[in-house]
Amino acid sequence: MVDRENLEFIYKQNLEESIIRYLADVKKIDLRQAMDLYYKSKLARQIEGGTYGIDNLDYKYLVQDLIDNEPELFK
């Protein structure tokens, strides 16, 4: 039986994977670079902490939010 804590961990892991893959596609960068950018972002910290329930939003929305609100990552 999977407990709630493990289920949340797996969900966040899958969400982060989707964000990184989609970020790589949208910005036309390789996965390693997308991963580096994501883990440097405020978004990554917010998802890790479950801030404002942000981890319940769609990964495509979150990638657009990252691009719009953290442009310094892409310079």
Side-chain angles (χ1 to χ4, degrees), residues 26-54:
V26 168
K27 294 305 266 183
K28 307 224 183 310
I29 56 178
D30 65 45
L31 285 173
R32 188 175 296 266
Q33 187 179 6
M35 188 177 350
D36 186 52
L37 290 171
Y38 170 73
Y39 284 112
K40 287 180 179 177
S41 73
K42 294 173 191 164
L43 176 63
R45 290 188 296 279
Q46 291 171 336
I47 288 173
E48 179 63 31
T51 307
Y52 308 116
I54 198 165

Side-chain angles (χ1 to χ4, degrees), residues 2 8 23-24 35 38 40 62 66 71:
V2 178
E8 285 178 8
L23 179 60
M35 188 177 350
Y38 170 73
K40 287 180 179 177
L62 292 171
L66 174 64

Side-chain angles (χ1 to χ4, degrees), residues 4-15:
R4 182 183 171 122
E5 188 175 306
N6 284 334
L7 190 59
E8 285 178 8
F9 176 78
I10 292 167
Y11 174 78
K12 283 183 182 180
Q13 222 175 16
N14 289 337
L15 177 62

